[in-house]
Every structure is written in C-alpha cells, then in structure tokens.
Amino acid sequence: MYNNWEELENSIVNCKKCKLCQNRTNIVFGVGNKNADIMLIGEGPGADEDKQGIPFVGKAGQLMDKAFKGLDIDRQSLYIANIVKCRPPSNRVPENDEAEACLDYLRNQVILVKPKIIVLLGSTALKNILGKEYGITSARGNWIERKGIYYMPTWHPAALLRDETKKIEFWKDLKSVMEKYNEIKN
Ligand code: URA
Ligand code: SF4
C-alpha cells in the first residue's frame, strides 16, 4: 500500500509481476481527477491505449466519450483505470493470475481516489471487483452497495460497438450514475 500517487506510480513503471509485461509498449496506469467522486473501471489496455499509455483513447473510449458528452459529464471530473495495466495479447480477456497480480494497484488507486461511485465496465471489471458469482447480463443497471461505495455494473463500451442495442442500456446506466451522484454528492 502506498500513501501517495508518486510512490504508487513509480512502483508500477517497471512492474514484471505477470506475463503481460512481456509485450507491453506502455503501462496504462489511469487518468483523470485523483479526487473524483466517480471512478470507472475497465478491463485492460487495447492497442491504442498501449501506444499512448492512457486508458480508453481508442474506438471504445471515443464511444464512451460521446455518451459522456450527451449526458453533460465532464471526463476530467472522473477517474478512469483498468483491471490490468498492461495490454493482453490480441485484446484477450486477462487471465486470473494476471488480474490477481495487478489488482493490488487498482485497490490502491481506489483507496487514494476515495470515490463514492464506481462504474464497472463489463464482465471482467464486475467479476474481479465484486466476485466471480456475478454475471454482467443480470447485474447491469442495478446498484450494489459495499462498504459505503455504490457500484454500477454496465456494459463495456466495446460491447456497444458489437451490438448497437446495448447503447440504450449503457446510456440509461450512466444516467442512473449521475442521478445517484446528485443525490449523494453533499
Ligand atoms: N478497453 C478497456 O477495458 N480499457 C481501455 O483502457 C481501453 C479499452
Ligand atoms: Fe504488472 Fe499489472 Fe502489468 Fe502484470 S499487468 S506486469 S501485474 S502492471
């Protein structure tokens, strides 16, 4: 556990705790407001993120940005990170040993950000944060409260690229997030 961002970031730069270190160009640590009330958690970097070292800058991220814009959500007011910090080959789902090796970094990020709300983007985020017994299809759209943090599981934005009909639910879930945020922010 690191008590400040600098120490945490420095500890990750040369991380070789799992095999994903072998093919990465850059570690994708996280981006945004380090005091955000709302944190979003994705799966892992894709090709664009690996190149730039920033989460959700590729196609899926751009689609998510559009949803933010439509709902008047300022990306700069959020903190965004992933389950694994290095790109899995061919964008495959991170394996259990990889997620487990990397999760301490994310837990440390959550402790430092102290978000009130965490949006879980897709199955990998949901299962690794709340438990393997959860499934995204039934969990999405429903609030789960744990230790004073409100969790909203929703579709991963890449799923919206494959299935347009999921966009409506994704939008609805983000709307719930903003409603909850307005309800609890003070
Ligand atoms: N998909 C993710 O889960 N995270 C990213 O940063 C980009 C795409
Ligand atoms: Fe380290 Fe995480 Fe990268 Fe694995 S994915 S090498 S645990 S930073």
Side-chain angles (χ1 to χ4, degrees):
M1 234 306 276
Y2 296 95
N3 293 316
N4 68 64
W5 287 100
E6 208 181 313
E7 284 175 20
L8 177 61
E9 290 205 46
N10 288 340
S11 79
I12 289 182
V13 174
N14 296 311
C15 182
K16 294 192 174 72
K17 282 204 293 178
C18 84
K19 57 189 175 299
L20 295 181
C21 70
Q22 291 161 15
N23 297 305
R24 71 170 175 241
T25 312
N26 288 296
I27 289 207
V28 178
F29 176 66
V31 74
N33 180 345
K34 289 171 172 165
N35 297 306
D37 287 328
I38 304 172
M39 181 164 171
L40 289 93
I41 299 177
E43 179 174 290
D48 297 301
E49 291 77 20
D50 175 67
K51 255 184 233 145
Q52 297 184 41
I54 305 167
F56 286 104
V57 289
K59 264 198 173 150
Q62 287 161 22
L63 185 58
M64 192 164 73
D65 284 344
K66 271 195 195 162
F68 291 158
K69 244 194 163 164
L71 288 161
D72 239 347
I73 304 171
D74 178 12
R75 205 193 207 247
Q76 303 308 314
S77 72
L78 310 167
Y79 190 79
I80 308 177
N82 284 309
I83 296 291
V84 291
K85 311 306 191 207
C86 304
R87 184 190 181 201
S90 325
N91 299 341
R92 64 159 171 72
V93 174
E95 290 167 4
N96 279 339
D97 60 319
E98 297 158 355
E100 267 162 36
C102 211
L103 262 173
D104 274 344
Y105 298 134
L106 182 64
R107 289 197 188 99
N108 206 150
Q109 285 170 299
V110 172
I111 288 168
L112 292 175
V113 174
K114 296 188 223 66
K116 295 184 168 83
I117 293 170
I118 295 182
V119 183
L120 300 169
L121 299 166
S123 169
T124 300
L126 172 66
K127 286 180 181 291
N128 282 290
I129 302 292
L130 291 182
K132 303 278 192 259
E133 68 275 23
Y134 285 95
I136 192 67
T137 308
S138 57
R140 71 137 281 280
N142 299 300
W143 287 107
I144 297 161
E145 192 192 347
R146 287 237 188 125
K147 295 183 187 164
I149 298 179
Y150 293 95
Y151 292 86
M152 173 55 75
T154 188
W155 299 122
H156 189 287
L160 316 179
L161 294 166
R162 295 188 293 266
D163 177 0
E164 288 262 327
T165 64
K166 292 192 164 85
K167 282 186 184 173
I168 296 165
E169 289 170 334
F170 183 72
W171 182 281
K172 206 171 127 206
D173 297 345
L174 287 186
K175 249 183 112 174
S176 298
V177 167
M178 293 321 289
E179 282 162 15
K180 176 70 87 184
Y181 170 65
N182 287 323
E183 186 186 311
I184 64 173
K185 70 179 167 196
N186 300 314

